[in-house]
Amino acid sequence: MEIFMAKSQAHKAESRRAIVDAAARLFRENGVDGVSVAAIMDAAGLTHGGFPRHFDSKQDLLAEALKQAVAASARVPALAGGDLGTYAATYLRPEHRDAAGEGCVFAALGTELSRAPAAVRHVLTQAMAQQFNRFAASAPGDDPEAQRAAAIGSWAAMVGAMVLARIADSPALSDEILQATQRFLCAAGDDRD
Amino acid sequence: MEIFMAKSQAHKAESRRAIVDAAARLFRENGVDGVSVAAIMDAAGLTHGGFPRHFDSKQDLLAEALKQAVAASARVPALAGGDLGTYAATYLRPEHRDAAGEGCVFAALGTELSRAPAAVRHVLTQAMAQQFNRFAASAPGDDPEAQRAAAIGSWAAMVGAMVLARIADSPALSDEILQATQRFLCAAGDDRD
DNA sequence: TGTACATCAGTGAACGCGCGTTCACTGATGTAC
DNA sequence: TGTACATCAGTGAACGCGCGTTCACTGATGTAC
């Protein structure tokens, strides 16, 4: 415990970063309604009273946390490379399923976010659009429209598979969902090469 | 208002059905944490005080509502027919996206349900297993393993596409996600026919 | 058939509890002189 | 260089509020006689 921690302006930015980091992880792990502001502040090493010095509301923090999370996802090497097959192989690993807090925002919070306020959904819409553009260029096939369809359909399959794999209470079925989806996507790609 | 409504045992079953129906719809529309027990009872035409005569807890009702919802989904004609392509065309319609309350449970509540208690997840796991078995038989291709992979991967794509289409705040992008996924799934099927 | 009574679905008030949010206060920061 | 003071990040107590749940009560049901 840093009892005499400085409270300068420089350290405020550090606190803010810690809050956003904790929120991005805890929201994905437990859902938006499954984690309290107090729990987030605690995970950031602060008390809940300091919250309004950084954010107007929990929704405001949610928007910031998602903004950071999608930006971080866009920096994942497999995605930066742009190869759909490589990305799918990375995305569909059991390690991703078991670490929702550091994983895909859409697979972790998707159904809750469809009911989120406009500001939150807008952040995610732009992230989706960018993702599709990146993938479309590297998708198999030569017809641009078909490439884009493959990019969108493949990503939908990844997100859906992760959602379903996390619901399954049988480890065997959960693993199978991930493997089968990867096989399905590979086959769909190979057919067009 | 049926002021002098009978309160016989026969009518209790009717009340229970009304509660489960309302819950199945409202949970899917607003999320589990987005609807209160009082709101469900109100939608069923009752007051919240009568709730414990029918269910032990909100979670108990959730399990019952999901059980009914997945059973109803299994009776959808396009699914009973077993043809994957027909089912995808039905599933991926904008009307489904815009009527979450009557639609697929996994697309409406998927990410919340992954954090649900074991009893709830078990109901859904069995529903998934059945869905895969039904689809696998009619999936394109002749290798049973590949057929099963196609069944699982295709359904994952449908669920994922619906989740993403509901997040998108741009109607154009939302429609495109549904159409592109359908095109992608058709192409994946055609390649194997 | 008629009457007394036990049952229990449903009512509406009330109960704790946890939550998001607010606020008076503390004390280190860093500026003014 | 020192000293007085304004600022403000962070603390911890407190605020309403809505929620899931509980409960004394009502009155129709339907059985016992």
Side-chain angles (χ1 to χ4, degrees):
Chain A
M1 202 168 66
E2 299 161 308
I3 298 176
F4 297 106
M5 191 182 80
K7 297 180 183 174
S8 66
Q9 291 180 339
H11 287 151
K12 184 182 183 182
E14 216 167 277
S15 293
R16 186 191 159 94
R17 205 175 310 121
I19 297 169
V20 174
D21 283 351
R25 179 173 58 81
L26 291 172
F27 280 147
R28 279 179 284 186
E29 280 177 1
N30 306 314
V32 177
D33 292 331
V35 60
S36 65
V37 168
I40 294 168
M41 293 299 282
D42 191 56
L46 299 167
T47 55
H48 69 279
F51 180 72
R53 297 276 177 200
H54 296 278
F55 302 97
D56 287 342
S57 66
K58 190 183 182 185
Q59 287 289 345
D60 184 21
L61 171 58
L62 173 62
E64 286 302 310
L66 292 177
K67 218 175 279 183
Q68 187 204 264
V70 296
S73 288
R75 285 194 301 271
V76 167
L79 181 63
D83 179 45
L84 235 172
T86 309
Y87 186 71
T90 304
Y91 191 104
L92 292 169
R93 292 196 310 169
E95 287 84 353
H96 181 194
R97 176 196 59 201
D98 300 333
E102 279 80 37
C104 174
V105 167
F106 297 90
L109 299 170
T111 63
E112 306 179 47
L113 298 177
S114 66
R115 295 179 285 265
V120 170
R121 290 174 61 204
H122 196 66
V123 170
L124 298 166
T125 302
Q126 291 190 309
M128 275 195 274
Q130 285 177 18
Q131 188 110 335
F132 295 153
N133 289 338
R134 265 191 297 260
F135 278 161
S138 76
D142 39 17
D143 174 11
E145 258 192 69
Q147 281 185 295
R148 190 169 166 87
I152 293 175
S154 297
W155 196 51
M158 292 181 223
V159 173
M162 191 53 70
V163 171
L164 298 175
R166 286 192 180 133
I167 291 174
D169 70 344
S170 142
L173 185 65
S174 182
D175 287 347
E176 191 195 6
I177 291 167
L178 298 181
Q179 288 163 12
T181 302
Q182 197 182 339
R183 177 173 175 167
F184 172 68
L185 292 179
C186 279
D190 289 347
D191 287 345
R192 289 181 184 73
D193 278 346
Chain B
M1 202 167 67
E2 299 162 306
I3 298 173
F4 296 107
M5 193 182 78
K7 295 181 184 174
S8 67
Q9 291 180 340
H11 287 151
K12 184 182 183 183
E14 216 168 276
S15 291
R16 186 190 159 97
R17 205 175 312 122
I19 297 169
V20 174
D21 282 352
R25 180 173 57 82
L26 291 172
F27 280 148
R28 281 180 281 186
E29 280 177 0
N30 306 314
V32 177
D33 292 331
V35 60
S36 66
V37 169
I40 293 168
M41 293 299 282
D42 191 55
L46 299 168
T47 56
H48 69 279
F51 179 73
R53 296 277 176 197
H54 296 278
F55 302 97
D56 288 342
S57 65
K58 190 182 182 184
Q59 288 288 346
D60 184 22
L61 171 58
L62 173 62
E64 286 303 310
L66 292 176
K67 218 175 280 182
Q68 187 204 265
V70 297
S73 288
R75 285 194 302 272
V76 167
L79 181 61
D83 178 47
L84 235 170
T86 309
Y87 186 72
T90 304
Y91 190 104
L92 292 168
R93 290 196 312 168
E95 287 84 355
H96 181 193
R97 175 196 59 201
D98 299 334
E102 279 79 39
C104 174
V105 166
F106 297 90
L109 298 170
T111 62
E112 305 179 47
L113 297 178
S114 66
R115 295 178 285 265
V120 170
R121 289 174 62 203
H122 196 65
V123 171
L124 298 166
T125 302
Q126 291 190 308
M128 274 195 278
Q130 283 176 20
Q131 187 110 336
F132 294 154
N133 288 339
R134 264 191 298 261
F135 278 161
S138 77
D142 39 15
D143 174 11
E145 259 193 68
Q147 281 184 295
R148 190 170 164 85
I152 294 174
S154 296
W155 196 51
M158 292 181 224
V159 173
M162 192 52 70
V163 170
L164 298 176
R166 285 192 181 132
I167 292 174
D169 71 343
S170 143
L173 186 64
S174 182
D175 287 345
E176 190 194 6
I177 292 167
L178 298 181
Q179 288 163 13
T181 301
Q182 198 183 337
R183 177 174 176 164
F184 173 68
L185 292 179
C186 278
D190 289 346
D191 288 345
R192 289 180 185 75
D193 278 344

